Structures are given as C-alpha cells and as structure tokens.
Amino acid sequence: MRLRVLDYVLCYLTLSLCLSGCGTGVSQSGTADVPSITAQPSNQTVTAGQTATFSVMAVGVAPLSYQWQKSTTAISGAISASYTTPPTTTANNGSQFSVVVSNVNGNVTSTAATLTVNAATTPATVDVLTYHNDVARTGQNLAETTLTTSNVNSAKFGKLGFYSSDGLVDAQPLYASSVAVPSNGTHNILIIATEHDSVYAFDADSGATIWQVTTLQSGETTSDDRGCSQVTPEIGITSTPVIDRTSGPNGAVYLVAMSKDASGNYHQRVHALDLALGTELFGGPAEVQATYPGTGDNSDGTNVVFDPGQYKERAALLLLNGVIYTGWASHCDDRPYTGWIMGYSESTLAQTSVLNVTPNGNEGAIWMAGAGLAADSSGNIYFLDANGDFDTNLNGNGFPVDGDYGNAFMKLSTSSGLTVADYFEMDNEASENSSDTDLGSGGMIVLPDLNDSSGHTWHLAVGAGKDSNLYVVNRDSMGKFSSNNSSIYQELAGALPGGVFAIPAYFNNTIYYGSVGSPIQAFTITNAMLSTSATSQTANSFGYPGTTPSVSANGPSNGIVWAVENNSPAVLHAYNTANLNEIYNSNQASGNRDQFGSGNKFMVPTIVNGKVFVGTPNGVAVFGLLP
C-alpha cells in the first residue's frame, strides 16, 4: 500500500514538472505560450558577390511567424525561418541581421548576427564606367582594396606617370578592367576624351596606347570657342562619356562630339566606339537634330529648333535602360537657346525621346559643372536646371501651364518617352534668375534609402548652386512652387559659402561638399536629415570652381576623400573620411616629385584598383603606391 501511494506521488510530481517545463509553448524567460528561440542566428562570412544565409530555430504554440530585419528595419518578404541575402558587396560588411519570431501570444527577437563581406581577391575587377561612379552620381568606389588610410602618404604614394593627349581633358577618365583586345591580349583600359575630338584607350597600368581615334569627319575641325571663354580654345568632346561593357562585340564607349565643317556649319554627333578597337558601332555616328512644340527661343512659330552651333554637351552622359541621355548647355548664356534633354538608343543610335524644359521661353541650360544627369532605381532622371524662364501660371496639378521650368530641381519620367514627373522651384526664382544666381551651376546626387526615427523610409536627393544654400528634396514629393513659402524637405541656408560649381560625394551617411573659396565640408545624415552645419571640414580651402570630391573605401573601412585643387600647379588632395584630416597632397614630396601641371576647371579624380587618374589640360596624371 505504501508503495502504491509512493507511486502516485512520483507520478504527480512528474506530471507537474512536465506541465511546467516540457511543453513547446514555454519561452526561455519562463513566459508560457510565447515563442522560444532554441538556436540563434550565427555570424556569416562571405566574399563579395556571394549570398549569405541566416537561420533560426524556435518553438512555441503554432503557427509561428518570422520577420527578418537588417539593423532595426524589416526586410520585405523575409518571413521564413531562414533568410538569404542578395549578392553581397563590401558595402554590406558589418551589417547585422536579426529575426522577430511571433505567435498569437507574443513575440521574441533573436540576437543579432553580423555579416562579414571580404573583398574579392581577383585583381583589377572594378570598373568606373560612368561619371562619378554610378547613375546616382554618389562618387564612391566601395571596392578599393589597395589604397588605405595607412599607405596613402608621401612616403608610399605618389605620381607614377603621365599619359599625354592632344587636347584638354574636360571629361572624367573612365576605366574598364580586363578587356580582351583582339590580337593584343587583355588590358585594363583607361578611356580619355579630349577637346581636340580625340578618344584614347590607354593600358591603365603601362600607359601604352591601345588605340586612338578622331571623331572628326573628312574636312572637319573642332569647333571654335563660339566667342566664349568657358571651353577654349576649341570645343570637341566636353562631357564625360559612358561605357556599356555588354554592348557590341567588345563593349561600347558612348560620347558626344562637336565639330565644324569646311562650310562653317557646326555639328553635334552621338558616337558609339568599340571598347577594344575604337571603331564606330551601330552605323554611327548619329547627327543630333531635334524640334519640340513651342514658341520660345529659335522657334519657327510652331516648334523650337535645336541649333548645334548654339549648344555644347557639358553634362555627363547617362545610360539608363538601354538609352543614352544627353543634356545641353549654352555658350556663355548667349541666346537664342532653351533647355534640351534627348535620348538615343544605345543599340541603334536612333533618337528615342526629346524634351525641352523652356519651350515657350528662353535659357534653361543643363550643364551642372559637368555633372551627369542622375537616376534612381525606378528609371526616373534628376538634374538641376540653370537660369531660364519659369512660368508661375500653374495648372491644377501645380505644373507650369507653358512648360517652362528655368532654375529648378527636375524629375523626369522615362516610362513613356521623357516627361516632367515633378519639380521644385524656389520662391525667389525671379530674383535669382535676374542676378545669374542659377541653381544649375551644381550637380545633383540621388541618396540611398534613408529611415527616420520612426522607421519611415525616405527617398531623397541633394543639390546646390550659386546661392550658397544646400537643398534636400523628397524625390516622392519634391515641392513644386509656392510664391509664399516653398515646400522643401530640408534647406541649409548659407551652408555653402561662395556657391557651388561642383557635385558632392556620398559615403557612410555623410555628404561631402566643396564650394567656392571654402574647405570641403562634411554633413552627416541622422534619421534621414542632414546636420544643420558641417560636422568636419578640411584645413585648406579650394578656390574657383571649388572641387568635386570622390571617395574610395573598402566597404565601410579605409574611407578616403579625394579632391583636386584648380591651381597652378594643380594639387591632388586625400583626406580621411572620418574627420577630413589630410593624409596626402601632391605638393608634399620634395623636388616637385608629384606635381602634374596646371589645373583644369572641373577636374574629377577617378580612383580604381589602386590608382588615381586626374585629367589635365594636356593629358592624365596617374598616381598610386610607389615602387
């Protein structure tokens, strides 16, 4: 009898223990029915280009649901017990991933797992195929594994050589790695375009000429400077070309060249050159001709007519979804001219679209100190329009009735030709226009998605011009025009003394601006807002036209801001991105070892695969680690 009672007691104790601790609805914290994580996500290490997979194991009252997050932001569609990233880049290095596991009774959040992304070890795999590195125009190369904040100094780094050209290099040098050249091996190719209407393909490492071609047709010369000192003494290829490595048999270099024939007629032509051979592709070149409905400058009464002699193609070319987009500037504001944007098929060179943003007025040049038309991932184009008529008579949707958008932030849709999708116009546009304080002297960059303190995602862009103000626009609702109070996401009045004839760079939630007569200033981004004043700046200042910085880094580490000072001699500067302390300049070494001649107005350094390339009036200077 005692044994049976003892058996009952043991059974009762066992049942009690099971009810309190054996079920799947008990969390690690002891709260019944809330999910419990039994295996936390683990850290992952991959090479750039690979994916990473994070997994979790959990128990609890079914059904369990999962929501993965990067930092504290939910990842769309990541709702399984495991999550696989897209192909990684070094920019993803250090990212943290966690998962929220939920059921009807509550939720629990896993510990954060860290993603380490190592740079690919294959040498010379990085390209710079367009102005300022990407279509957002951020100016950042996040795959620079050779140049670091430790070895970029005058003891280890300096001028390696100089690749001479037959004319002024106003376009940013472009770089295509490991190009197979028929009957001539494989080369890292540096593309240089000159105002003498020549294009060079140099071996980026040895300086040997792979090919050199002229874009002039028989009997032609380069254009004269049209009585304007902005591009002088000749006008040939002014804007930065763009390269598509998948186009044609070996890749294609797209560019616009200006020339003058024996009869005194001016020509603007779109060229596509074989990247490996320099030969013309797709039946090119294509003559630039256009009309657009309007009664503005150079109208025939029905259409404004494009006159190639009145324009130069100053803004860098944009390649977007198979179309080459061009934006047109004037010579010294000499009328008659209006604001043209044109698109050309990259596979046929046929004109696909034309838009004029001052068709019933005048001016509206698109030049941006050589910066390129920018684009977002949805296929929208962004740019800053210069001095020109703005029509304050608005329709019911807030757009100018006559279609004139002088001196504005512009957003264009490319879904059906070219159309104005949105804009922002300053409320003092008339006074700034009359005083030549145009917004279009600077370029515009598209920022990556940013989250505010409540987790809301913002799509922003940054730009500035001559009025010394820094503007941040919401790309989803840019603000349009109000005569009483312009609606803008953020404005930093007077933040850029001397005005801007350049484009900023972006890196690691920081904007770097180099305005005229001022140091480079860093504005940090917190909760999708720029700091109201610079958080750091360089010790030295940059005279006219200021400077366009570029950034090299290996993911988030070894960030370096590079900038060229337009002096005689010109100076290449390198700064630590964290504090803008200078780590190198080309005047430091004894005996003028690293000097490279006179400056050039809108120089943009190209940093790639351990080298820095800088355009000059007669070639390109090459910098890197010393032998």
Side-chain angles (χ1 to χ4, degrees):
M1 186 68 178
R2 289 181 180 177
L3 289 173
R4 182 171 296 178
V5 170
L6 183 59
D7 288 341
Y8 285 138
V9 171
L10 290 173
C11 183
Y12 175 81
L13 290 174
T14 301
L15 179 61
S16 298
L17 287 170
C18 188
L19 289 173
S20 63
C22 299
T24 59
V26 181
S27 72
Q28 291 175 326
S29 62
T31 303
D33 300 327
V34 175
S36 174
I37 293 176
T38 58
Q40 298 284 351
S42 59
N43 297 337
Q44 300 293 318
T45 299
V46 296
T47 299
Q50 296 177 334
T51 60
T53 299
F54 298 89
S55 299
V56 68
M57 293 181 65
V59 296
V61 173
L64 297 179
S65 61
Y66 304 84
Q67 176 60 67
W68 288 89
Q69 51 190 17
K70 182 179 180 182
S71 297
T72 57
T73 302
I75 302 170
S76 178
I79 54 174
S80 300
S82 65
Y83 166 66
T84 299
T85 69
T88 57
T89 69
T90 51
N92 304 128
N93 187 54
S95 298
Q96 293 194 314
F97 296 82
S98 58
V99 61
V100 179
V101 185
S102 307
N103 65 11
V104 293
N105 298 310
N107 62 74
V108 62
T109 302
S110 74
T111 59
T114 300
L115 173 62
T116 300
V117 182
N118 295 320
T121 57
T122 304
T125 58
V126 179
D127 294 332
V128 178
L129 306 177
T130 191
Y131 178 88
H132 230 208
N133 295 74
D134 51 47
V135 296
R137 310 306 186 188
T138 63
Q140 57 180 348
N141 170 12
L142 300 179
E144 177 52 58
T145 59
T146 300
L147 302 178
T148 70
T149 53
S150 298
N151 62 26
V152 175
N153 55 63
S154 59
K156 300 178 181 179
F157 177 91
K159 188 177 74 171
L160 300 178
F162 190 91
Y163 303 163
S164 296
S165 67
D166 61 5
L168 187 70
V169 181
D170 275 328
Q172 180 181 345
L174 300 178
Y175 183 105
S177 64
S178 302
V179 177
V181 179
S183 303
N184 193 15
T186 299
H187 301 265
N188 298 320
I189 287 184
L190 187 74
I191 296 294
I192 297 172
T194 79
E195 294 289 0
H196 198 61
D197 270 327
S198 292
V199 184
Y200 295 79
F202 289 108
D203 183 297
D205 303 304
S206 69
T209 302
I210 306 300
W211 52 262
Q212 176 189 354
V213 299
T214 180
T215 58
L216 296 171
Q217 296 193 357
S218 178
E220 290 186 345
T221 65
T222 54
S223 170
D224 57 278
D225 65 13
R226 304 292 284 139
C228 174
S229 61
Q230 291 175 344
V231 179
T232 193
E234 61 181 348
I235 304 174
I237 305 168
T238 305
S239 62
T240 300
V242 65
I243 298 172
D244 185 348
R245 297 203 59 171
T246 67
S247 183
N250 303 301
V253 182
Y254 298 90
L255 58 98
V256 172
M258 186 176 185
S259 61
K260 186 178 182 180
D261 65 27
S263 300
N265 300 309
Y266 294 92
H267 300 269
Q268 304 279 359
R269 298 188 182 98
V270 179
H271 296 257
L273 305 180
D274 188 290
L275 175 61
L277 302 172
T279 51
E280 293 275 1
L281 297 172
F282 314 124
E287 197 85 23
V288 176
Q289 300 172 322
T291 60
Y292 191 82
T295 58
D297 269 10
N298 205 41
S299 173
D300 61 9
T302 303
N303 297 297
V304 286
V305 180
F306 180 82
D307 178 354
Q310 286 296 106
Y311 295 91
K312 59 176 175 281
E313 217 284 338
R314 175 43 120 170
L317 273 62
L318 169 67
L319 171 58
L320 184 65
N321 297 328
V323 178
I324 307 295
Y325 290 99
T326 64
W328 297 89
S330 63
H331 306 285
C332 286
D333 286 334
D334 293 338
R335 292 178 59 190
Y337 74 91
T338 51
W340 296 88
I341 306 95
M342 304 178 199
Y344 291 83
S345 165
E346 72 161 327
S347 58
T348 67
L349 301 186
Q351 191 177 83
T352 60
S353 53
V354 176
L355 177 68
N356 195 297
V357 293
T358 49
N360 294 295
N362 59 73
E363 301 184 332
I366 300 158
W367 62 288
M368 300 186 292
L373 303 170
D376 64 19
S377 59
S378 298
N380 299 302
I381 295 175
Y382 301 85
F383 63 91
L384 301 182
D385 192 16
N387 287 332
D389 286 340
F390 176 73
D391 175 20
T392 58
N393 183 19
L394 308 180
N395 64 23
N397 294 318
F399 292 90
V401 171
D402 285 340
D404 293 332
Y405 293 91
N407 225 31
F409 276 79
M410 300 297 299
K411 175 182 179 179
L412 308 183
S413 170
T414 62
S415 59
S416 179
L418 282 169
T419 57
V420 177
D422 202 358
Y423 73 98
F424 165 72
E425 185 72 64
M426 298 167 291
D427 56 11
N428 63 340
E429 182 276 335
S431 63
E432 292 204 356
N433 191 40
S434 63
S435 62
D436 192 34
T437 312
D438 59 299
L439 187 64
S441 64
M444 183 175 179
I445 67 172
V446 172
L447 296 178
D449 291 356
L450 299 168
N451 293 327
D452 61 21
S453 57
S454 64
H456 179 74
T457 300
W458 292 90
H459 307 120
L460 306 178
V462 174
K466 294 179 184 177
D467 67 4
S468 302
N469 300 333
L470 196 166
Y471 299 96
V472 184
V473 294
N474 174 7
R475 303 196 319 263
D476 298 325
S477 179
M478 294 178 72
K480 296 187 173 66
F481 173 76
S482 167
S483 60
N484 297 319
N485 182 26
S486 290
S487 173
I488 188 158
Y489 181 85
Q490 189 179 11
E491 178 181 350
L492 305 183
L496 303 169
V500 170
F501 292 76
I503 188 172
Y506 169 85
F507 172 69
N508 197 24
N509 286 318
T510 305
I511 300 292
Y512 299 92
Y513 252 113
S515 58
V516 177
S518 301
I520 295 176
Q521 298 183 84
F523 297 86
T524 56
I525 302 172
T526 305
N527 294 327
M529 297 288 287
L530 265 64
S531 55
T532 55
S533 59
T535 52
S536 62
Q537 63 181 34
T538 60
N540 65 295
S541 296
F542 292 79
Y544 177 81
T547 191
T548 289
S550 296
V551 174
S552 66
N554 183 8
S557 62
N558 280 305
I560 300 174
V561 174
W562 301 85
V564 183
E565 188 177 351
N566 183 29
N567 280 347
S568 186
V571 185
L572 173 66
H573 295 267
Y575 308 93
N576 191 315
T577 55
N579 49 28
L580 289 182
N581 288 340
E582 187 172 65
I583 57 178
Y584 168 83
N585 76 63
S586 56
N587 280 345
Q588 290 175 334
S590 61
N592 301 328
R593 184 195 71 190
D594 295 343
Q595 292 184 359
F596 56 99
S598 299
N600 191 19
K601 190 162 53 176
F602 300 132
M603 292 176 287
V604 181
T606 298
I607 309 96
V608 57
N609 293 326
K611 290 187 173 64
V612 181
F613 302 95
V614 181
T616 77
N618 58 344
V620 170
V622 185
F623 293 81
L625 297 181
L626 298 171

